[in-house]
Each structure stands twice: as structure tokens, then as C-alpha cells.
Amino acid sequence: MSGLILHEDARSGNCYKIRLTAAHLGIALERRNYDIMKGETRTEEYLRDVNANGRIPVLQDGDRFLPESNAICYYLANGSKLIPDGHFDQADMLRWMFWEQYSHEPNVATLRFWKRHVGIEALVDAQRIQMTGKREAGLAALDLMDRHLAERKFFVADQFSLADICLFAYTHVADEADFDLEAYPDIVRWMERIMTMDEHVGLED
Ligand SMILES: N[C@@H](CCC(=O)N[C@@H](CS)C(=O)NCC(=O)O)C(=O)O
């Protein structure tokens, strides 16, 4: 790995995961910003040269381009302290990262995006219809996390790992989607543990 470039929109939690992983590992990233609200990841050039899927984040390593936030975190952290030893714990870490993408991010992050960036009044009917279901699924995700953390400091193997980083990214800003984090005391304690680590960086740093 050398001369890594992160193609991002700095407001995105998916991009923040990568900066947080890099900070914990002391990896330098050059940052290239795109405004997703202006369709800057949907241009012919971006689709051809960076990501045919039209989204950020993408990590560029030389002439290779890797999309998908959790895959990028895994690439940066492979063989590091952020991945537990043991095949079961490694798979369990991936379990939480897949769960984040299926059960957490599509609900918590999408509601945050609609509220904070699009604006509720600007939503189209198809999005409005989905709001109640996404809120219920977001509440269920936070509840599951809180119950899991009641008996643990971190998600997997009693150590800070990529599972924590990937889940922290959108959980710590869930209040921006009107989720009341005070209702989840074990999530709050877990977030405090993460935010007080020496290597921690914030979403807006
Ligand atoms: N599963 C992908 C999701 C990527 C994604 O949805 N990115 C959003 C911002 S968080 C995006 O690029 N939206 C712009 C667009 O779709 O035009 C990941 O984890 O990286």
C-alpha cells in the first residue's frame, strides 16, 4: 500500500469509517472530495474511472479502485490490531459488518441523509412511504446493539475492532435522524469508550 487516495464526500459516515480506521493504524490518506448532492459521483468520468456504481467511498491504491466502505476498512486493517485473532472471531467481526450494511445503515443513515441533506419537505412519495419502516428497523437495530453491549465492552472478542468502527460511524450521529440515543445506555457507554481512545478522530475533523 502506498499513496492511498480516498474518494469521498466528507459528510458521509461510510467515508468517515475509513478515516477512523486509518487514524487508528497511522495510515496517511490523500482525500479527494465530491459533492454527492450535486451528482459529482454520477458523471461520465467518475463512472468510468472511479466507480461504475456511482458512489463514494472509493479507495484508490495506485491504479486500482476499491469501493464499499467495509471492504476498504478490511483492506486497510488486514493483519492489524483491528482484526481479532482466530477464525471464529474474524468471521464474527464480519458478521457485524455485514449486519451494519443490511440492518443498520439502510435505516439509520438513510433517515439521517433524508433529514439532514435532502430535507423532509423535498422527499418524493416513495421515500416518504418508507420512513416509518426505516424508523422501526433503525430502532430494532439500536435495541439489538444495546442488548449485545450490555455484557461486553466491544462487539467482538472483548477488543476494539473494525466491527466497532463500522457500527460507530452512523450510530454516533443517529440523533441527527431523531433517534434518542439516551434510551440506549450501553450504546452511550460504548461510544464514550471509542471517543476517548487516543487515536480517535471525529467525523468533522
Ligand atoms: N454500501 C456502500 C454504500 C455507498 C453509498 O451509498 N454512498 C452514498 C453516500 S454515503 C453515495 O455515494 N451516494 C451518492 C449517490 O448515490 O449518487 C458503502 O458502504 O460504501
Side-chain angles (χ1 to χ4, degrees), residues 6-145:
L6 176 62
H7 299 265
E8 66 167 350
D9 182 323
R11 300 166 293 188
S12 149
N14 283 323
C15 299
Y16 170 54
K17 290 172 190 173
I18 292 145
R19 300 197 302 276
L20 186 51
T21 300
H24 275 277
L25 296 173
I27 295 174
L29 295 173
E30 182 186 327
R31 297 168 62 180
R32 222 163 267 179
N33 206 64
Y34 301 79
D35 187 338
I36 57 172
M37 297 306 293
K38 293 186 180 151
E40 289 179 2
T41 61
R42 298 285 167 166
T43 64
E44 202 180 311
E45 189 186 26
Y46 187 90
L47 294 170
R48 184 190 62 226
D49 297 340
V50 182
N51 184 6
N53 196 31
R55 290 180 171 82
I56 44 87
V58 175
L59 185 77
Q60 181 180 351
D61 185 354
D63 60 1
R64 300 189 75 181
F65 293 80
L66 183 64
E68 293 297 329
S69 58
N70 292 359
I72 299 169
C73 290
Y74 186 81
Y75 179 61
L76 293 179
N78 205 346
S80 79
K81 62 183 179 182
L82 295 180
I83 297 185
D85 291 333
H87 289 177
F88 192 93
D89 287 334
Q90 288 169 1
D92 204 24
M93 181 195 78
L94 290 174
R95 177 265 285 227
W96 283 109
M97 291 162 73
F98 296 152
W99 180 82
E100 187 267 345
Q101 285 284 290
Y102 190 77
S103 299
H104 187 295
E105 192 259 16
N107 304 307
V108 177
T110 301
L111 287 176
R112 170 180 180 256
F113 179 68
W114 286 350
K115 194 165 182 275
R116 196 183 150 121
H117 299 295
V118 180
I120 298 298
E121 65 294 336
L123 294 181
V124 297
D125 285 348
Q127 292 169 322
R128 252 176 232 284
I129 289 164
Q130 291 180 53
M131 284 189 70
T132 307
K134 285 193 178 290
R135 178 150 307 279
E136 281 171 9
L139 289 168
L142 294 171
D143 183 60
L144 181 74
M145 289 173 66

